[in-house]
Amino acid sequence: MRENLREKNMLKDFLEQYTYHLSDNTAPEKRVYTQPLRNYLDLVYIADISIGTPPQNFKVVFDTGSANLWVPSIYCDSKACANHSVFNPPRSTTFSLEGRPFEITYGTGKIAGFLGYDTVRIGNLVIGSQAFGMSQKEPSIFLEHAVFDGILGLSYPALSVVGTTPVFDNLKKRRLLKEPIFAFYLSTKKENGSVVMFGGLDHSYYKGELKWVPVSQRLYWQISMDSITMNGKILGCKGGCQAIVDTGTAVLVGPTNVVTNIQKAINARPLTGYEYFIGCDAINTYSDIIFTINGVNYPVPAHAYIRQSLKGCCYSNFEGGSEKLSQSELWILGDVFLRLYFTVFDRGNNRIGLAPAV
């Protein structure tokens, strides 16, 4: 068997997937799997994965705000696909066609395509027969210029395409992880150093104890938030609100009317679209904005809520969202928040853990 696999150039992949002796049927060792992420200008964090046999490589965003895995395909005729790596089903010996169409809408655009199954590799984690989407249409200008090829969703399965099992749920279902958790450490202003870890925690990435917050709705990673204040004055979330912890969003997003008031409080002036200009001296002089969650204060200092561009201009990292966010004051805590706080997503206990990042 070993020689046959070697002749077909399949032995390495087989040994990575089955790291134990078949004869004694011992379960594979469960451990913490750490996957490096590349920080692109503090705007998005990219990981390398592969799909198929032999592996076809893709750069993806590990997104806690969605549930599906998708990559561009050779059948896509959009400009976005021409600029990115595309999956070629005939070149994979482990591919099987599911065929059903799918469509996913994001805040920055939508994609459409069809479903298939194949082997997905995230570092040393190997998931056979994983459902994933192959895009045929990516009309969004944002995706055309994106530094990533696709997205790997890590939210609850209720958000996934009907009839499919998301990547993390398969890892959990097949008992490939020591614990049903994953966690993010996001670096600031440097390309390397960011990681996502599956199955356990590396305590060297945070200080103190984790503070746990129960998930309030098992769809997104949604939690209850108490308030948003600055110098003791309430800026938002008066009387409590909801927040989604989202690695796929770069900034802090809230209801437009509330965010407009925050922009005024920090003397940010509107430019075009969603951008607000602010004097760069504010980075060293403005007070922290405090997000209070489950009775615990999480300060966001000015150097985090103000972004300095490569050209030296400074902008607010607060952004007004859709009308849906305004109806019940829903916030999105994106990478601006997550760079400050090591974040654990615990599916076993349906909770999120937060601690100051090192």
Side-chain angles (χ1 to χ4, degrees), residues 5 8-14 17 50-58 87-96 117-121 126-129 132:
L5 289 169
K8 297 175 182 178
N9 293 319
M10 295 172 64
L11 179 60
K12 182 175 180 291
D13 293 336
F14 180 86
Q17 184 169 1
S50 69
I51 304 174
T53 308
Q56 300 178 40
N57 299 318
F58 299 93
F87 183 72
N88 188 335
R91 289 185 180 175
S92 174
T93 59
T94 46
F95 174 79
S96 61
Y117 292 91
D118 212 330
T119 300
V120 173
R121 293 172 177 82
V126 182
I127 312 118
S129 299
F132 71 105

Side-chain angles (χ1 to χ4, degrees), residues 245-261:
V245 183
D246 183 10
T247 57
T249 296
V251 294
L252 299 163
V253 184
T256 300
N257 60 327
V258 180
V259 169
T260 299
N261 290 334

Side-chain angles (χ1 to χ4, degrees), residues 75-300:
Y75 309 109
C76 178
D77 55 9
S78 300
K79 284 185 178 179
C81 297
N83 296 335
H84 294 92
S85 299
V86 294
F87 183 72
N88 188 335
R91 289 185 180 175
S92 174
T93 59
T94 46
F95 174 79
S96 61
L97 179 66
E98 208 275 8
R100 274 192 300 139
F102 78 97
E103 186 174 292
I104 304 172
T105 301
Y106 298 95
T108 49
K110 68 178 182 179
I111 65 152
F114 60 97
L115 297 171
Y117 292 91
D118 212 330
T119 300
V120 173
R121 293 172 177 82
I122 305 170
N124 290 325
L125 277 172
V126 182
I127 312 118
S129 299
Q130 172 62 50
F132 71 105
M134 293 163 281
S135 70
Q136 291 175 291
K137 299 288 182 183
E138 295 183 26
S140 167
I141 294 177
F142 172 79
L143 291 175
E144 184 179 336
H145 297 284
V147 294
F148 55 87
D149 303 312
I151 291 176
L152 192 154
L154 290 168
S155 70
Y156 280 83
L159 268 185
S160 66
V161 173
V162 176
T164 63
T165 303
V167 168
F168 187 79
D169 286 82
N170 266 330
L171 292 173
K172 190 159 79 78
K173 181 179 177 182
R174 300 176 192 182
R175 299 181 179 179
L176 296 175
L177 303 176
K178 187 176 181 181
E179 298 178 75
I181 64 175
F182 58 93
F184 282 84
Y185 170 82
L186 303 183
S187 65
T188 302
K189 295 182 179 177
K190 60 179 182 178
E191 183 177 355
N192 300 320
S194 303
V195 297
V196 58
M197 52 198 75
F198 295 95
L201 305 179
D202 183 336
H203 302 281
S204 66
Y205 285 100
Y206 64 91
K207 298 174 286 189
E209 293 184 0
L210 288 162
K211 303 296 184 183
W212 295 101
V213 186
V215 170
S216 57
Q217 185 178 357
R218 298 176 194 178
L219 186 66
Y220 299 96
W221 284 95
Q222 185 170 321
I223 57 176
S224 296
M225 187 159 65
D226 304 338
S227 64
I228 303 171
T229 59
M230 185 181 191
N231 295 325
K233 180 183 177 182
I234 293 181
L235 297 181
C237 196
K238 186 177 182 180
C241 61
Q242 294 289 296
I244 293 168
V245 183
D246 183 10
T247 57
T249 296
V251 294
L252 299 163
V253 184
T256 300
N257 60 327
V258 180
V259 169
T260 299
N261 290 334
I262 292 176
Q263 308 288 27
K264 290 178 182 176
I266 61 175
N267 296 315
R269 301 187 299 275
L271 289 174
T272 56
Y274 293 102
E275 288 196 314
Y276 277 71
F277 172 80
I278 189 168
C280 289
D281 58 337
I283 292 176
N284 300 314
T285 58
Y286 280 18
S287 301
D288 296 350
I289 293 179
I290 310 295
F291 290 74
T292 303
I293 301 169
N294 207 25
V296 178
N297 291 337
Y298 296 92
V300 176

Side-chain angles (χ1 to χ4, degrees), residues 21-33:
H21 299 291
L22 295 178
S23 56
D24 63 15
N25 202 29
T26 305
E29 180 189 1
K30 297 176 182 178
R31 57 188 178 87
V32 180
Y33 294 86

